[in-house]
Amino acid sequence: MQPPPHEDVPERIPVGLSSASVWPQPARAAFEMAADLGFDGVEVMVWADAVSQDVAALHRLSERHGVPILAIHAPCLLITQRVWSPEPEERLRRAVVVASELGASTVVVHPPFRWQRRYAERFGELVAELEETSGIAVAVENMFPLRPPSTLNRLRGGRSSGLSAFTPSPDPTEVGYRNYTLDISHAAAAHMDAIELLKRMKDGLAHVHLADGTGASRDEHLIPGQGNQPCAEVCEALAADGFRGSVVLEVNTRKARNPQQRAALLAEALLFARLHLAPLRAG
């Protein structure tokens, strides 16, 4: 039954699939699975897969499968330090250009590594400049330390980042940016309260990586509901607050024995997201 014409119907929050969720399969498989399972789009993780670096190839995949590209994840990992350019500033600039050419509204980027001193010195200025000139949200993602902060420090309410590879911190809210990406699995690995982090990001939250964790020091990216993080609560808060960004499933399926098993895991994750992101209706 259709609602009366005068009734305001909340918009559904788009749920996308990260191409990292099908690894070790290539980006092509992410578009195929996103279309088959009914995802609203794809986030492309730019890495060694040549297709993930190729604007024309990505455009063809998007058109062929009828799946829009919601976001580009800039090549920030240690294993992608030579993708496009050895210079991190150039990689970020290229990611913004690619996002613009593919119609993506967001670029996900990590805080600078400590050894990227020149990049780190002007990172905030660079992000602001790229957003101003492109209209793309350059959403800085929360990361996790090599060694999480001590239990004593957490009980004292501190936000110490433990032993961190990032400068000045894995928590981008300590610096302050216009746009953020909230990654729940990273929050778990950092022993950070995802709900408190969500509150600190406030109106700057542009993008969410939905995945679970157990609080282990490694980045787990579990299917939502398989860990102990407040994945449902985060989703429900987004729905209640009228979140206008995208929620992307960035989960680990590398232990799947075959494409059918991987599809089942991703379908489970999508169902979880849709269930908890459902708009709340008055009455």
Side-chain angles (χ1 to χ4, degrees), residues 4 12 15-16 20 25 27 109 121 125 179 207 212 222 231 256 263 268 277-278 282:
R12 189 176 76 174
V15 180
Q25 290 187 290
V109 65
E121 285 173 358
E125 177 184 333
N179 291 293
H207 198 69
D212 217 331
L222 303 176
C231 294
E268 177 186 342
L277 288 169

Side-chain angles (χ1 to χ4, degrees), residues 3 56 95-96 171 185 188 207 219:
V96 171
D171 179 358
S185 177
H207 198 69
D219 190 16

Side-chain angles (χ1 to χ4, degrees), residues 48-86:
D49 175 14
V51 170
S52 75
Q53 306 170 29
D54 187 328
V55 173
L58 291 171
H59 180 73
R60 286 194 296 271
L61 284 170
S62 178
E63 289 289 309
R64 182 183 308 152
H65 296 286
V67 177
I69 297 174
L70 303 174
I72 298 294
H73 195 310
C76 305
L77 302 174
L78 289 172
I79 61 172
T80 59
Q81 296 298 289
R82 296 288 173 176
V83 170
W84 284 341
S85 170

Side-chain angles (χ1 to χ4, degrees), residues 101-283:
E101 291 178 345
L102 292 171
S105 60
T106 305
V107 165
V108 178
V109 65
H110 297 173
F113 288 118
R114 287 192 176 277
W115 54 85
Q116 296 172 328
R117 293 184 180 178
R118 287 186 299 174
Y119 178 57
E121 285 173 358
R122 67 177 309 266
F123 180 70
E125 177 184 333
L126 173 64
V127 167
E129 171 203 319
L130 291 172
E131 290 186 321
E132 185 66 27
T133 57
S134 70
I136 303 290
V138 181
V140 187
E141 184 175 13
N142 62 293
M143 298 303 293
F144 55 94
L146 301 175
R147 185 175 67 218
S150 68
T151 301
L152 177 60
N153 184 70
R154 296 199 306 276
L155 290 174
R156 288 173 174 170
R159 282 201 258 163
S160 169
S161 56
L163 179 61
S164 173
F166 300 96
T167 184
S169 164
D171 179 358
T173 68
E174 291 190 5
V175 176
Y177 298 96
R178 181 182 300 173
N179 291 293
Y180 298 103
T181 295
L182 170 63
D183 188 302
I184 301 174
S185 177
H186 292 176
H191 293 180
M192 297 172 67
D193 185 322
I195 296 294
E196 290 302 313
L197 185 55
L198 174 66
K199 291 176 181 176
R200 291 200 296 275
M201 289 180 171
K202 296 180 182 177
D203 295 337
L205 183 63
H207 198 69
V208 175
H209 283 164
L210 180 59
D212 217 331
T214 64
S217 58
R218 67 187 184 279
D219 190 16
E220 297 173 287
H221 284 281
L222 303 176
I223 301 296
Q226 293 187 358
N228 58 17
Q229 296 303 294
C231 294
E233 291 88 338
V234 167
C235 289
E236 288 160 8
L238 296 175
D241 292 343
F243 177 62
R244 295 186 176 276
S246 298
V247 172
V248 167
L249 271 302
E250 191 183 73
V251 294
N252 183 349
T253 65
R254 66 176 180 269
K255 291 184 179 179
R257 296 186 181 91
N258 51 55
Q260 293 75 27
Q261 192 174 77
R262 174 170 285 110
L265 291 171
L266 295 177
E268 177 186 342
L270 177 60
L271 179 62
F272 181 101
R274 288 264 167 80
L275 174 65
H276 294 288
L277 288 169
L280 300 176
R281 296 179 182 275

